[in-house]
Amino acid sequence: RCADDFKGPLTVRIVGANGVLAEGTVKGVGADWKKFEVTLKGKNTDPNAKLVVTAASAGTLWLDMVSLIPAETFKNHGLRLDLAQMIANMNPKFVRFPGGCVVEGDPVIENAVRWKKSIGPVEERVGHWDLWGYWSNEGLGYHEFLQFCEDIKAEPMYVINCGMSHKEERAQKETPGIDVQEFIQDALDAIEYANGPVDSKWGALRAKAGHPKPFKMKFMEIGNENGGKIYHERYAKFREAIMAKYPDMRLIACDWRGGTPQEELLDIVDEHYYSDPGFFMRETGKYDKYDRKRHKVYVGEYAVTKSCGKGNLIAGVGEAAFMTGMERNSDIVEMASYAPLFVNPAWEAWNPNAIVFDASRTYGTPSYYVQTMFGNNKPDVILPLELVSAATTQQTLSGGIGVGSWGTQTEYKDIQVTGPDGSTLFQSSEIKDMSAWKTDKGQWEVKDGLLKQANADTPALALLDGKSFGNCTLTLKARKTGGSEGFLVLFQSTNLNDRTWWNIGGWENKQSGLEGGDLPDEKKNISIETGRWYDLKVEMDGQRVKCSVDGKIIHDVSRSASKSLFAVAGRKKDTNEVIVKVVNGGAIPQDASLELTGIKSLASTGKAIVLTSEKSTDENSFAEPTKVAPKEEKLEGVSATMQHTFPPYSVTVLRLQEKK
């Protein structure tokens, strides 16, 4: 709408680096709010183009909601074709929405997603401030989510806020001014919108939105990453109300931490895991000895987030190893979902993500292709499999050194690296400014011989640029000048994303631990005082790492020779196929013998789908979108007892045909 002094018209353009790519005109803007639409046909492509609205003359104009959408969308339901197709190509059996932490509202409950504000005309949706630092207009709302799930033949799983914001959940306090019954009613109404008849209040709104038939939603998660006494009480109330009205719903609880587990209330419990590739390889047997009488498990979020670059091959390999364990125990692990799904690099707030896109392009990370390989090669029944390979691998350990902090202001000095023979390989006294350091977040400076970090970023990191060390000893002095935690000491780090660090005074300034680099998960109690200088030492010798504070050894750990071959097998009934998934997480090829139990006879030829690359750190990009992508090859000499060589850092799917 406009004031009387505005005469119009408006010109709407898409403008690229080399000029106008598309143009249209809007006429008739008046004193009342009115919706206008204009179709723009592009002359060319520019992923960095901008949408530009200009006026022909001076005046006062109000724009309430502006949206640029492709004329052709996925199934004609509003989603960008290539992005929606990327999800469809994963062949998912369900979609979790609206996600994780965005559910709760950060830091306050007013920022939480409320589904009732995400239906109806898009221009009338209130929207909310997003946890990841931008405003969401809820263009992809509750109805669009249900419709998309139907379009790709996936079950919808809605995550409902349980009346807790991030701020209060972390403090384990009640959220002020909240009536939990309001949120329970939200859950009941959400189910009615999805499943209710057209003559019900919310079913009628669904019909009005163009979908009179019920969506038949079966799954709802109560809260996200909530826990403790308050959550236990609330979950019980949600469950009682929902089961009374919708007894066939499957309810998912957050990770049941703290208090006494009420197994009789639990159907499925959501567990989340983020770590380095080694963690996921070590945890492949996590569910092998799980108590089959307990609740089922939904691994709602998992991903390699350390030593992964922007999403590299070894990250996908580590996840695939863990996935073989989940699939092998699918009587317990009913569902699993990689997270997060999408990122536009210009708005990145989390690393890595499965699918990367800009205004006109998209590509999948190796982790994305792992998901497609598992999603499109699902068996119906798990088969016993014996996989024998004598080889174990140890990687050559080397990398850069650095320092950092987590929500804390710090100072470092006398940083020195010495070789096994005592020779000096580096000393910080030679550095007079920040040019020698690569940084990520933080307010860093070199002053009076000190390397200082002055803000509360999480994490703030400084890595010595262009230097890599093998066996060596790192010594330094560290002082906390303010903030909530202690020190981060980086070592054997490839870059700021592929990092290993010693976290001293982490976990709310209560513990010390080593993170990344396939090191054992060991925690020791320690806290860091403000204003005091500490002497820190990290000794690296082969697979051994020893860490000391003021001459006292805090950690003395070794990486054990790690298993690098992981597998699971199953039968697909409708095609009479045996599907074998094998992951080689090591740096050398693995010659292995496979023995399948319960198979009478197999055709002598089959096919192998292989994901691998030249280096474990290889990544995809807009320039090379399929540098690391599955390739299919013919398989010869197939039998129930067969030999096969699996490439280093690889994920392999074997599809073998059973003889009738």
Side-chain angles (χ1 to χ4, degrees), residues 533-552:
W533 282 105
Y534 291 83
D535 288 308
L536 308 179
K537 179 191 284 188
V538 182
E539 299 171 80
M540 293 156 271
D541 182 11
Q543 301 298 314
R544 186 179 182 185
V545 176
K546 186 161 62 174
C547 302
S548 306
V549 176
D550 293 338
K552 180 182 178 181

Side-chain angles (χ1 to χ4, degrees), residues 436 630 641:
T641 56

Side-chain angles (χ1 to χ4, degrees), residues 483-523:
S484 58
E485 298 207 351
F487 313 118
L488 298 173
V489 178
L490 281 69
F491 61 96
Q492 294 174 344
S493 296
T494 304
N495 54 51
L496 286 165
N497 289 311
D498 296 343
R499 65 212 181 204
T500 302
W501 70 37
W502 177 20
N503 188 348
I504 315 145
W507 298 274
E508 299 178 350
N509 201 17
K510 294 177 181 178
Q511 293 183 310
S512 167
L514 298 169
E515 299 182 89
D518 200 17
L519 288 163
D521 183 13
E522 175 186 87
K523 301 288 192 307

Side-chain angles (χ1 to χ4, degrees), residues 421-541:
D421 59 357
S423 60
T424 300
L425 305 178
F426 167 78
Q427 53 187 13
S428 62
S429 58
E430 302 170 354
I431 296 176
K432 306 303 179 185
D433 56 40
M434 287 302 300
S435 61
W437 301 93
K438 279 189 174 180
T439 62
D440 182 20
K441 300 182 181 177
Q443 184 180 329
W444 293 93
E445 67 170 340
V446 174
K447 187 175 182 181
D448 301 327
L450 304 178
L451 177 57
K452 298 183 176 183
Q453 198 294 105
N455 71 17
D457 282 352
T458 56
L461 303 175
L463 185 72
L464 187 64
D465 192 12
K467 298 280 188 179
S468 182
F469 306 97
N471 290 341
C472 64
T473 298
L474 167 63
T475 57
L476 65 155
K477 294 182 182 293
R479 177 168 67 179
K480 170 181 172 178
T481 58
S484 58
E485 298 207 351
F487 313 118
L488 298 173
V489 178
L490 281 69
F491 61 96
Q492 294 174 344
S493 296
T494 304
N495 54 51
L496 286 165
N497 289 311
D498 296 343
R499 65 212 181 204
T500 302
W501 70 37
W502 177 20
N503 188 348
I504 315 145
W507 298 274
E508 299 178 350
N509 201 17
K510 294 177 181 178
Q511 293 183 310
S512 167
L514 298 169
E515 299 182 89
D518 200 17
L519 288 163
D521 183 13
E522 175 186 87
K523 301 288 192 307
K524 296 293 183 67
N525 294 333
I526 191 171
S527 59
I528 298 301
E529 299 174 18
T530 301
R532 172 185 163 189
W533 282 105
Y534 291 83
D535 288 308
L536 308 179
K537 179 191 284 188
V538 182
E539 299 171 80
M540 293 156 271
D541 182 11

Side-chain angles (χ1 to χ4, degrees), residues 373 385-391 565-567 580-584 588-596 604-612 631-648 650-656:
M373 292 172 75
L385 169 68
E386 185 174 357
L387 184 69
V388 180
S389 174
L565 213 57
F566 312 89
V580 183
K581 302 182 182 79
V582 182
V583 179
N584 181 4
I588 60 174
Q590 295 272 18
D591 295 316
S593 61
L594 289 81
E595 183 172 339
L596 291 158
S604 61
T605 61
K607 69 177 179 181
I609 305 164
V610 184
L611 179 76
T612 190
K631 294 179 174 59
E632 189 174 309
E633 55 193 51
K634 189 176 180 180
L635 197 62
E636 303 280 1
V638 173
S639 69
T641 56
M642 57 183 285
Q643 295 287 128
H644 191 76
T645 300
F646 298 95
S650 66
V651 181
T652 301
V653 176
L654 306 177
R655 293 200 70 135
L656 316 174

